Amino acid sequence: MEMLEGLPWWAKRLDEMSGRFSRSGLGGLLDYHGATNTLGELLTQGIVTPEAVQAWLGEQVGKHQPATGSTAHPSATADLLTDPRAFWAQVWEEVLGRKLDIPPVLKISGKTKAAIVAYHLMPVYLPVITEEDYPTDFIKPQWGQHLTVSDIQRRPLPGRWVIVEMIVKPNWDDENGYGNGIDPLAQALGLTSRFSISWDTLHETHHPATANILGLSKKAVRLPTAEEWNLIGNLFLWLNANRNMNLPDLGATNSWEWAENTFGGGRRLIVGGRDYGGLAGVGFYWRGPRRGVLGFRVLAVL
């Protein structure tokens, strides 16, 4: 790729790692965070265009495709970057057993495209579905197991394009923290940990800063709702099983994550504690105080 020849050090390193690229996803690239972060900076500065990178990555994937007749899927990561609408149309048809009319993705700026790569984000279309539409193997939230249902603010899925972090959710007492110690967004925000941050601080300080980093409006960036978080967690597991991707199991650790929903007065929903149901677990905490077992992941509405 002519536009990449002027960047030999990282292009060469990525090429050296291309044997780890597979039709199941560009796991080698996503695990090589030094290259990923540098590539994001180059994209942001306009030294390399997203189109050039997509074309180059497509060439690398093509070099390592299985022989004809293989039942493996095409590279899910490459498909997501190249044509997310087609990717999710196919995924949702398989998940739900019916076709969905998925709207086009709104125009995304070069800065946001670069941030998707640099900060390990995934564009996702969340359709208008209810828990009754879930496949039988999807894990539903247990709304009333630990909470009074009438106090829960439910936020049904209205159908929207979002981008969400794919970062690994750790145990709260894991000294490595989010991303097994590699957390570029937290680093960009000046955070040493994602834990012990209040819901209010996230909304007043960190979300506006994240919006600036992602090249989005302040109102676009927030926490996932409990409904979104649960569906995304199920989708991660489905993509791992059916697209051989390597996405985190959000319900497998003993930490919780903040959700956007209110729970009466000054409380907010929290989700994901393994000992309270994992993907099914729904609890609450007060919006102002900090708590060591509570982390967060960012969602942005496109």
Side-chain angles (χ1 to χ4, degrees):
M1 181 65 58
E2 181 178 351
M3 294 190 66
L4 300 180
E5 288 178 355
L7 306 169
W9 80 266
W10 70 263
K12 184 177 295 186
R13 291 297 298 275
L14 290 178
D15 190 56
E16 290 170 355
M17 295 181 67
S18 63
R20 294 174 62 188
F21 294 179
S22 69
R23 290 172 65 93
S24 65
L26 301 178
L29 172 60
L30 295 178
D31 286 340
Y32 185 46
H33 301 289
T36 304
N37 293 342
T38 300
L39 180 55
E41 294 174 1
L42 295 170
L43 286 164
T44 301
Q45 296 167 11
I47 298 174
V48 180
T49 67
E51 292 76 17
V53 175
Q54 288 176 8
W56 185 81
L57 291 176
E59 292 173 3
Q60 301 307 307
V61 173
K63 292 178 182 178
H64 302 280
Q65 289 182 346
T68 303
S70 169
T71 58
H73 287 279
S75 167
T77 304
D79 290 348
L80 267 170
L81 294 174
T82 305
D83 192 349
R85 186 185 187 191
F87 175 85
W88 284 108
Q90 183 179 22
V91 166
W92 282 117
E93 183 174 357
E94 292 184 35
V95 169
L96 299 178
R98 57 185 171 87
K99 291 185 177 180
L100 293 182
D101 184 14
I102 297 179
V105 186
L106 295 178
K107 184 175 177 61
I108 301 175
S109 70
K111 182 176 182 179
T112 302
K113 289 180 179 179
I116 288 174
V117 174
Y119 299 108
H120 313 152
L121 306 171
M122 174 188 284
V124 182
Y125 181 71
L126 300 177
V128 181
I129 64 171
T130 66
E131 292 168 25
E132 286 68 32
D133 300 314
Y134 275 20
T136 56
D137 58 343
F138 272 30
I139 301 169
K140 300 179 182 180
Q142 297 173 343
W143 298 106
Q145 183 166 354
H146 307 291
L147 303 177
T148 302
V149 173
S150 60
D151 288 336
I152 298 173
Q153 177 199 36
R154 292 297 307 274
R155 299 185 61 163
L157 297 162
R160 58 165 64 99
W161 279 101
V162 302
I163 53 176
V164 67
E165 289 187 281
M166 298 183 286
I167 193 165
V168 172
K169 174 178 174 281
N171 287 315
W172 67 266
D173 51 355
D174 183 343
E175 62 182 15
N176 290 320
Y178 272 77
N180 294 320
I182 302 174
D183 188 347
L185 181 58
Q187 184 178 4
L189 292 170
L191 300 176
T192 58
S193 172
R194 290 193 181 220
F195 293 107
S196 294
I197 301 175
S198 73
W199 192 95
D200 283 346
T201 298
L202 287 171
H203 286 73
E204 293 166 3
T205 304
H206 300 316
H207 288 346
T210 300
N212 183 59
I213 291 170
L214 301 184
L216 298 170
S217 68
K218 291 182 179 179
K219 66 179 181 180
V221 175
R222 56 171 172 77
L223 299 163
T225 66
E227 292 84 353
E228 291 168 336
W229 187 94
N230 174 263
L231 182 57
I232 288 166
N234 277 293
L235 285 174
F236 282 1
L237 295 181
W238 190 94
L239 291 169
N240 290 344
N242 295 277
R243 291 296 186 272
N244 199 24
M245 295 179 71
N246 185 28
L247 298 165
D249 182 348
L250 301 184
T253 60
N254 64 12
S255 60
W256 294 85
E257 292 188 340
W258 283 113
E260 191 71 12
N261 315 55
T262 64
F263 179 66
R267 298 168 292 179
R268 296 293 182 265
L269 292 188
I270 59 176
V271 286
R274 179 187 60 210
D275 299 334
Y276 291 84
L279 285 185
V282 185
F284 79 90
Y285 196 63
W286 298 95
R287 58 181 289 176
R290 301 180 298 170
R291 190 178 181 191
V293 301
L294 257 173
F296 72 94
R297 74 184 52 240
V298 166
L299 178 141
V301 178
L302 296 177

